[in-house]
Structure formats: C-alpha cells, structure tokens
Amino acid sequence: MIKRFKLLFSVFILTGIINAQDINPDLLTRHWRASWITCPNVSQKDYGIYHFRKRFSLEKIPNKFIIHISADNRYRLFVNGKSVCFGPARGDLMNWYFETVDIAPYLKAGENIIASTVWNMGTLAPVAQISNQTAFVVQGNSDQEQIVNTDGSWKVIQNKSYSPCSTDNGARLHAYMVIGPGDQVDASQYPWGWELLGYDDSKWLHPQGVTAPSPYTVGTDNLWHLTPRNIPLMEETMQRMQKIRKSEGVAVTDKFLEGGNPLTIPANTKATILIDQGYNTTAYPRLLVSKGKGSSIQLNYTEALLDDNMQKANRNDIEGRKVIGNYDRFLPDGGTDREFSPLWMRTYRYIQIDIQTANESLIMQDLYGYYTGYPFEEKAQFESNDKSMSEIWKVGWRTARLCAGETYYDCPYYEQLQYPGDTRIQALISLHVAGDDRLMRKAILDFYNSRVPDGLTQGRYPSSRMQVIPPYSLFWISMIYDYWMYRQDNAFVEKLLPSIDAVFSWYESNIDKSKGMLGPMKWWNFTDYTDPFPNGVPPGADNGNSSVISFHLAYTLNQAAQLFSHFGKICEAERYKLLAAQLNKSTYKLCYDPAKNAIADTPEKKTYSQHAGILAILSGAVGEEEKPALMKNLVNDKSLTPVTFYFRFYLTQALKASGLGDMYYPSLDYWRDMIKAGLTTFAEKPDPARSDCHAWSASPLYDYFAVICGITPASPNFKTATIEPALGELKSVNATMPHPEGEIKIKLDRQGSTGIIARIALPKDITGTFNWDNKSHILKGGINVFTIK
C-alpha cells in the first residue's frame, strides 16, 4: 500500500471549540508559562511559511487534553498527522484571538507528535489581516498539558518550497482585490511528511523565543493581547466538482471529478481543463498527483468567465470567454501521491487548470474541494405558492454563507472585509435563518475595537489599512439596536453606550447651525454605489447640507434614544430625540419639493434620489398620512436617483413603514433576473457587477420573515412579537424562524381578496399581536388560529 503524504491536510476531524468556562482562569489573568516562538535567522515581518513540531510521550490516552493555540499571521494545527483546527480568528493586536481545543481524541499511548504550519504573508497579506511579526504559541490548560507548551524544545524549519504568485490580481481584473497572494509550491523543496511522527527533524532548528504571551489587560510592552476566541471553529466539508466544461490538449470526462478515475497527461504536453463547480463556493481545492517531474500545474479561480472587454454575461456561458482571476501554482517533483492545497481558502465557480508537462507524464489522481465557512445551521424554513421564491431562498442563503467566516465578508472573492453597512444586513439574515448571534456579536465588538480618536468606527475592520466611512458608524449603532431588540445581553449592550454617544458627538460637531442640517463632512461619506453618486457619495455630503445623511443621522438618533432610555439614560435619550426632530424638521423644510412630491438631495434641489425619500420616511420626518403618497411616487418616479441592491434593503423598510409592504413582492423580480442570468449567488449590484457574491444582496432572506410574514420584535429582547403580514399577490405562506425561546411558526392562507386563515405558533412565554386588514388580534404563547373573512 502506497503511503500518501499530504501538503496541507490529512484526514480532517471537525473539532468543537472548548467553552470559555473551561479555560483555566489563571490564563486570563497572568502571563502564560509558554513562550511565543519563531523561526530564527529570518526576517520576522516578511513573507515566510514555517513548520513547527514537537514529540512528546504519554503513558495512556487522557480523557481531556486541552490546549490553547495562536499565531501571527495564521496557523493550521496537526496532531499525529491529522488536521485539528486553523486560526486564529481575525482580530487586532489589542484583541488577538487564541483557539482552545481538546486534542485528546487525536492522541495515543506512547509517542505523539504535535505540529503546525505557520505563515506570514508579509506586505502581501490580505488587508483584513493585521500583524506584528511571525510567531506561534501553544499553552497547555493545566499541568498535564504543559508538556506541549511552546519553548526551546520545539523544532522549526522554514519551508522554502513556497513563494508568492498571483500578486497582480487587481491590475489584471481592473478591480479592488485585496485577499492576499496565491501559493506557488515547488514540490522538490517541500519537506513531505513533516507533520508525521516518523519524520526525521534532526536537521531542524530550535525556535527563537519572542516574548511571554499576555492575556488582555496583563503586562506591558506587549506584542499581542490574547483573548479567547468567541466564535466556533469553521466548517470544512468535502465538496465534489460537477462538470468538465472544456478541455484542450487532453481528453477528459466528468468521471475524473467523481474520484477514483486518474487522468494521465502525456510528457511534453500543454493542456487546459475548465471545470464548473456548478455554483459559487468558498473552499480549499485539493489536488492529488503522481509523477510529472518538471511539470507546472496552475489552478485559476473565477466566479464568472469574461469576454475580451472584461465583461460578464450569463454566468453559465463559456464560449468566447476566458478565465481571468487569482491562481495557485504547483510544481511536481515526480513523487507519488503529492497533494497540493492552498494555505487559505479560494472562491470560485470555475477552476481552469493549465498544465505543462516536461519529460515525464503526469498522473492527476483527484481534484475536489473542502467547503469552508462559518458553521451556520439553516434552521428557518419558508414556502409559498410561488416556487420561484424557494430558488431565491437557496441562492440567497448560499450568498450569505459564502460571505461569513471568522468575520462577515462583504464579498469572498475580492475583499473578505467586514463593513458595518454590509454587516448589519448580514447579521439580521443570520438571526432569522440560523438563530445564531455569535458572529454578529463579534462583529459589533470588532467595530467597537476599531474606533479612531474622533469617536467614529473604521469603515471596515479588522483591516491593516485605515478607512473611515462616517455613515457606517451610524449603521454600527443600528446593529447594536438590532442586537438589543433580538437578544437579551444587557451588560454587553450597555458597555457600548458611551461609544455610541461619541459617534453622535462627531456628527453634532458637523451640523450647519444656519440650516439645521449636516454641513461639510470629512472622510468617505459612502451611501450607495449608484451611478449618479460619485464614488457612492450623495450630493452635499462633502460640501454641506446632504439630506440623505442628515435623515440617516436622525433615523439612528431615534434608535439610540430607545436604547438609552431602556438603560436609564433619560437625559441622553431626550437629547437624541430632540436633535432628531430638529434635523428632520429643518431638512424636510429645505429639501421637500411639493411639486415633485419628492425629497431633494440638497436645499438647492438640483438632484433627487430614492435614498433621500427612504431615509426621510424611516427617520420620521414624513407624517403618517403623507408617507404612502411619497413612497408610491418614490417607487414610480424614474427621474430619481435609484437605489442598488444594497439600499433596496432600506427601500423595503420604508415600504413597510408606509403601510405599503404589499408592494415588496413584485420587487423580487430583481433577484429572479439574477438567477436567470446564471448567477448562483447574488451580485454586488446590477451588471456590470464586480462581485458575483455580495451578502447585502441576500436581503430577501430577512424580508421573507420581516415583511412578507411580518414577524418583528415588538419589544427589546424579542419578549413580544408583532406579526403583520404583507403577502402582496401571494396566496399562501408557510414559514418557521428561530427565536431565542424556540421557534415562531406561521401558516397563512388567503381567503378571497381580504380574508385569511392564520395559524401562528409562538414560544410559550412569548406574546404579541397579529395585525391584518387594519385590525389587531392578541397572540398568546402556543398555537393561535384566526379565520378572518
């Protein structure tokens, strides 16, 4: 039997992270006994891939063997050749996460080996990666695990087979792309089997100590402040590719993709194989080859093929189109069962393999992916008489999942950055579909940790590059408001109140007192990537008197007033309500155009946008009686600057706030059109779109529940619920969504034009109201049935 050596993975066993209460409390209050270690004689801040390992003996297999691991930039941990976990979860130097895992299931009596790949991408690192220098740490939880503490007894080697490639992605794609380099691996220099017990490490070096590991708030002159990981480990699931779409230079069928059907590429052959995953994914592609000494194998990844003008069409089309994207490259050494997989995940629907063999034929034994992402579980369900809504659900949930890892991502292919504007929508989707608030809570903390001296949050975080988007600080406050409405976590929320006030202080300092609106504002005042807004910035944001951002501030002040009042901060709450009312009154007076029944972007009334009207409605600037007419005109007036998919989320909220939720259902045609165009995830904006997978465009998953089913919290912590369906043309709906106390189930069947049979089940301690046809009905915990004619 041939022994298979693997470059990155061995058999992967998904391991759950240990609960924080299982961490030795001493490790959270004093320096660790282990040491941060690194490879000696290398530049500590530059690109490099390293392997660390240590042998240790056990008399018997322990019931538990809990260790804590972290690294800079990143690591993947192995025990006895098996992959255990990877990390650390992305944070910053003040909040550097460590993973806590029980490795007892991987251990055996006698000799064991613990090993890790650690990599530093240096100046080529993803923008989402903050770094100090190359380093690695393992700390045992109790006395029995101290044997694996990182110290001078470990061994280390630099893996010189690696070099960066695909470093010019942005230039080749004419797009902002900051996910880091590709991996080129020269198999002839790779230390095959380095993670296995029997490997000879006698020529490896002993590591160099860096510093004592310091938990958050402990010590001084620290390089990293360690804090326990607050989200679960990422999912990794095998994922087979679906179809060979094209090949040149070699004959290949779909059988190859099924596994167990090797493909031989003859010597001195140039070949190209285009593979269709069938849908967009985030995964670690894994390629297994034998022989082929001197060959080159390049894996090229793309969401969609491009024409000669760099444009996309139907995503299923390949004729006359080419793959332009990021790539990895593997250079076989002629050995047997060599496996290549990149250090970090790749995003793709299509993979094009470009092969050039030398004087030896190459055997490609297998190629597949390991899907990875935040381990959300799909707990919600939605069905209706419109079957197309199920396909929107499927594509939307895939979009949301691909945009969630150790942080929320705006998009997985180009940036993998976490922005508050995107994240608010993503977090609401997570709550409604998965009932999982942990990534949302981490995101709120991430933005809290990003604050700059003038009180604003950064526009994306974690990020190694500074960016401030003031409207995104307002959306961060809205995220906190959402979290408070959906979850009971008062100590966490109350801690954030001073930072909310600091954001408002910055905005107050920018009010033009002569007009009662916001004046000129610095930084990047992004609102929406709609063409008439240069770089997404609405008129007046930079030079003064933007109605869009003035109303946005008022909208957020009203949310914060509820928050502060709940926590007994009555003076602040009243001040926020008063300021919101003043902004609304002044901005509406200066920017409302009665002839157009629309809101201008500035008092000069040169341009008008849907955004201004939407935020005027949501902020409360428009009277209840005036809302419906203004909203209908906003939807129908084609002269207004239109929203894109992102801000359509707020258009939908404004429809609901105007009592026009029934107008939502027809808007799903935008998503149906994307599916017709072959998209398997929802795009950043209408074509021409950069990103084919952008989580803000998955908003229908929230709207299905909050608008069509009409399920919303009626009080903080979701202790009571309002159910006010807006079915539009739908005849029936059957839905289930998670709730902190269980599930909310709703079955609606229309009876004629205004009647309905409604069956609503609430968790036993939850009450609420069911609103239909301008009448309210009391809901109690348990099953409620209404027949309304």
Side-chain angles (χ1 to χ4, degrees):
M1 182 176 179
I2 298 174
K3 193 170 187 179
R4 180 173 294 181
F5 292 117
K6 305 197 175 187
L7 181 110
L8 177 61
F9 294 92
S10 191
V11 178
F12 183 82
I13 300 175
L14 187 63
T15 305
I17 195 161
I18 299 298
N19 293 325
Q21 59 264 31
D22 292 325
I23 299 174
N24 184 337
D26 288 347
L27 299 178
L28 303 178
T29 58
R30 62 185 65 175
H31 288 297
W32 292 3
R33 290 161 63 182
S35 175
W36 281 102
I37 59 174
T38 190
C39 184
N41 308 320
V42 298
S43 177
Q44 296 298 320
K45 294 183 180 290
D46 289 336
Y47 176 95
I49 286 76
Y50 308 93
H51 300 305
F52 294 82
R53 56 184 271 138
K54 176 172 177 158
R55 291 187 178 90
F56 63 101
S57 293
L58 296 172
E59 291 186 4
K60 61 180 182 178
I61 301 174
N63 292 327
K64 286 187 176 181
F65 201 93
I66 297 172
I67 62 172
H68 315 286
I69 322 101
S70 193
D72 185 349
N73 298 170
R74 299 190 62 80
Y75 74 87
R76 183 177 282 272
L77 183 75
F78 299 84
V79 174
N80 289 325
K82 293 184 173 65
S83 178
V84 177
C85 65
F86 63 86
R90 279 179 173 160
D92 57 30
L93 298 180
M94 283 293 294
N95 303 272
W96 197 268
Y97 291 104
F98 64 87
E99 282 70 43
T100 299
V101 294
D102 181 4
I103 63 171
Y106 303 87
L107 298 175
K108 58 186 180 180
E111 274 208 295
N112 293 266
I113 185 74
I114 182 170
S116 184
T117 299
V118 173
W119 61 93
N120 185 345
M121 293 290 114
T123 58
L124 300 173
V127 168
Q129 180 66 57
I130 294 172
S131 177
N132 196 327
Q133 68 153 82
T134 302
F136 176 59
V137 64
V138 174
Q139 169 66 53
N141 194 54
S142 65
D143 287 344
Q144 78 160 342
E145 296 101 352
Q146 303 300 311
I147 191 172
V148 298
N149 284 4
T150 44
D151 55 23
S153 66
W154 279 66
K155 292 289 195 74
V156 62
I157 190 174
Q158 182 178 10
N159 188 336
K160 295 184 178 180
S161 72
Y162 279 90
S163 59
C165 65
S166 193
T167 58
D168 60 346
N169 298 321
R172 288 184 297 109
L173 285 163
H174 307 160
Y176 184 65
M177 191 170 188
V178 289
I179 58 169
D183 298 331
Q184 176 168 301
V185 174
D186 182 349
S188 66
Q189 298 188 59
Y190 193 89
W192 298 101
W194 66 271
E195 76 278 26
L196 302 176
L197 181 63
Y199 181 84
D200 180 6
D201 61 11
S202 60
K203 295 183 179 179
W204 285 29
L205 303 174
H206 287 283
Q208 172 182 317
V210 178
T211 189
S214 304
Y216 187 75
T217 75
V218 174
T220 184
D221 202 31
N222 297 328
L223 299 179
W224 306 269
H225 287 272
L226 289 163
T227 190
R229 182 179 177 121
N230 50 12
I231 56 172
L233 298 175
M234 297 299 100
E235 176 183 341
E236 291 188 287
T237 304
M238 186 178 180
Q239 195 174 65
R240 282 282 173 191
M241 299 171 194
Q242 291 191 5
K243 191 169 185 61
I244 304 290
R245 295 295 300 274
K246 183 189 291 187
S247 64
E248 298 176 3
V250 65
V252 56
T253 69
D254 295 344
K255 280 285 187 182
F256 168 68
L257 301 177
E258 297 173 3
N261 297 281
L263 172 66
T264 298
I265 295 90
N268 301 307
T269 297
K270 182 178 181 180
T272 297
I273 303 170
L274 179 63
I275 298 172
D276 188 350
Q277 174 70 40
Y279 47 83
N280 226 352
T281 192
T282 50
Y284 293 95
R286 297 174 64 178
L287 173 68
L288 181 67
V289 304
S290 291
K291 302 176 64 176
K293 184 176 182 179
S295 298
S296 171
I297 307 170
Q298 183 165 301
L299 303 177
N300 307 275
Y301 313 101
T302 189
E303 296 182 304
L305 276 64
L306 303 174
D307 64 18
D308 290 338
N309 296 316
M310 302 292 289
Q311 297 300 309
K312 303 173 184 177
N314 189 294
R315 304 315 194 260
N316 298 320
D317 294 346
I318 65 169
E319 293 306 319
R321 303 188 164 274
K322 54 191 173 184
V323 171
I324 302 176
N326 57 324
Y327 60 86
D328 297 305
R329 188 179 294 127
F330 182 56
L331 307 176
D333 64 343
T336 299
D337 291 342
R338 299 306 200 204
E339 186 171 291
F340 170 80
S341 189
L343 294 167
W344 185 239
M345 70 173 197
R346 302 295 183 236
T347 303
Y348 55 88
R349 174 178 169 177
Y350 293 97
I351 294 182
Q352 179 172 293
I353 312 175
D354 294 328
I355 305 162
Q356 178 64 65
T357 58
N359 294 328
E360 183 179 39
S361 61
L362 171 72
I363 301 173
M364 290 179 54
Q365 294 163 259
D366 208 352
L367 174 66
Y368 53 94
Y370 256 78
Y371 165 79
T372 188
Y374 186 92
F376 282 125
E377 295 180 35
E378 185 179 351
K379 295 182 178 178
Q381 296 178 346
F382 182 93
E383 296 176 350
S384 76
N385 60 287
D386 180 354
K387 302 307 179 186
S388 73
M389 295 184 73
S390 296
E391 189 63 21
I392 293 172
W393 174 281
K394 177 182 175 182
V395 174
W397 184 233
R398 180 184 295 124
T399 303
R401 290 218 63 192
L402 300 193
C403 292
E406 294 165 351
T407 64
Y408 286 109
Y409 308 140
D410 63 322
C411 56
Y413 188 82
Y414 289 91
E415 297 186 44
Q416 298 173 17
L417 287 164
Q418 180 174 249
Y419 293 83
D422 309 57
T423 300
R424 185 195 181 194
I425 298 170
Q426 293 171 270
L428 286 168
I429 293 169
S430 302
L431 292 178
H432 284 77
V433 180
D436 190 330
D437 58 35
R438 291 170 291 181
L439 195 59
M440 179 184 192
R441 196 178 192 275
K442 179 182 184 294
I444 291 171
L445 274 175
D446 286 339
F447 297 130
Y448 173 80
N449 294 332
S450 79
R451 290 165 296 150
V452 299
D454 57 11
L456 296 172
T457 59
Q458 292 187 45
R460 61 195 185 192
Y461 207 74
S463 173
S464 62
R465 300 179 191 172
M466 176 65 70
Q467 180 194 78
V468 176
I469 304 176
Y472 276 15
S473 292
L474 299 179
F475 284 132
W476 173 66
I477 295 171
S478 293
M479 282 183 64
I480 299 169
Y481 172 83
D482 295 339
Y483 184 77
W484 169 65
M485 288 298 292
Y486 281 87
R487 290 295 185 267
Q488 184 163 353
D489 195 354
N490 285 348
F492 173 72
V493 173
E494 189 169 17
K495 180 183 95 168
L496 304 170
L497 300 185
S499 301
I500 292 174
D501 190 66
V503 171
F504 290 143
S505 294
W506 182 87
Y507 271 99
E508 286 184 81
S509 71
N510 283 280
I511 290 177
D512 178 352
K513 293 182 173 56
S514 69
K515 287 190 170 66
M517 300 175 64
L518 285 168
M521 289 176 290
K522 298 179 179 179
W523 303 109
W524 181 23
N525 291 285
F526 173 83
T527 294
D528 189 12
Y529 274 130
T530 188
D531 289 338
F533 287 5
N535 203 26
V537 177
D542 293 338
N543 53 11
N545 306 140
S546 164
S547 67
V548 173
I549 301 183
S550 295
F551 285 133
H552 187 181
L553 174 58
Y555 164 71
T556 314
L557 284 162
N558 283 327
Q559 290 179 325
Q562 297 176 57
L563 263 174
F564 277 69
S565 179
H566 178 81
F567 288 101
K569 310 287 186 182
I570 306 302
C571 290
E572 292 91 336
E574 291 301 315
R575 179 166 62 89
Y576 296 158
K577 286 193 286 187
L578 178 61
L579 181 55
Q582 291 171 343
L583 285 164
N584 278 339
K585 182 178 179 180
S586 298
T587 306
Y588 186 81
K589 179 179 179 181
L590 290 169
C591 298
Y592 175 66
D593 186 333
K596 284 181 68 67
N597 193 22
I599 309 291
D601 294 322
T602 64
E604 290 78 17
K605 298 181 181 176
K606 294 180 179 179
T607 62
Y608 298 77
S609 66
Q610 288 186 321
H611 308 74
I614 288 165
L615 289 166
I617 289 170
L618 293 178
S619 70
V622 182
E624 291 298 322
E625 293 184 0
E626 289 76 29
K627 283 180 181 179
L630 181 71
M631 191 68 213
K632 287 179 182 178
N633 186 64
L634 185 154
V635 171
N636 295 320
D637 187 346
K638 303 305 180 185
S639 71
L640 304 183
T641 295
V643 298
T644 66
F645 297 145
Y646 164 46
F647 225 79
R648 187 160 286 278
F649 173 83
Y650 293 97
L651 186 152
T652 301
Q653 303 311 303
L655 282 172
K656 183 173 181 178
S658 303
L660 300 172
D662 285 329
M663 292 178 64
Y664 168 72
Y665 174 70
S667 73
L668 290 173
D669 282 345
Y670 290 100
W671 284 270
R672 294 186 185 98
D673 288 345
M674 281 192 275
I675 293 171
K676 289 176 184 175
L679 282 146
T680 60
T681 48
F682 289 132
E684 182 175 14
K685 63 186 186 71
D687 277 336
R690 176 192 61 151
S691 166
D692 271 8
C693 183
H694 227 82
W696 66 30
S697 297
S699 57
L701 273 71
Y702 168 77
D703 299 333
Y704 279 14
F705 295 103
V707 180
I708 290 177
C709 294
I711 305 170
T712 54
S715 59
N717 317 141
F718 219 156
K719 293 298 184 184
T720 58
T722 296
I723 299 180
E724 187 170 344
L727 299 181
E729 298 173 13
L730 290 171
K731 302 300 182 185
S732 64
V733 164
N734 189 356
T736 301
M737 67 166 279
H739 182 280
E741 301 299 323
E743 292 180 330
I744 295 177
K745 295 186 176 183
I746 181 168
K747 188 176 189 303
L748 305 171
D749 292 288
R750 298 194 75 147
Q751 305 293 301
S753 58
T754 60
I756 196 166
I757 298 175
R759 181 183 175 90
I760 301 166
L762 299 181
K764 65 182 182 68
D765 295 325
I766 303 300
T767 60
T769 58
F770 170 60
N771 300 330
W772 181 262
D773 197 22
N774 298 315
K775 294 181 181 178
S776 291
H777 308 268
I778 300 299
L779 291 170
K780 298 179 180 180
I783 296 174
N784 303 260
V785 180
F786 304 95
T787 301
I788 301 171
K789 297 181 179 179

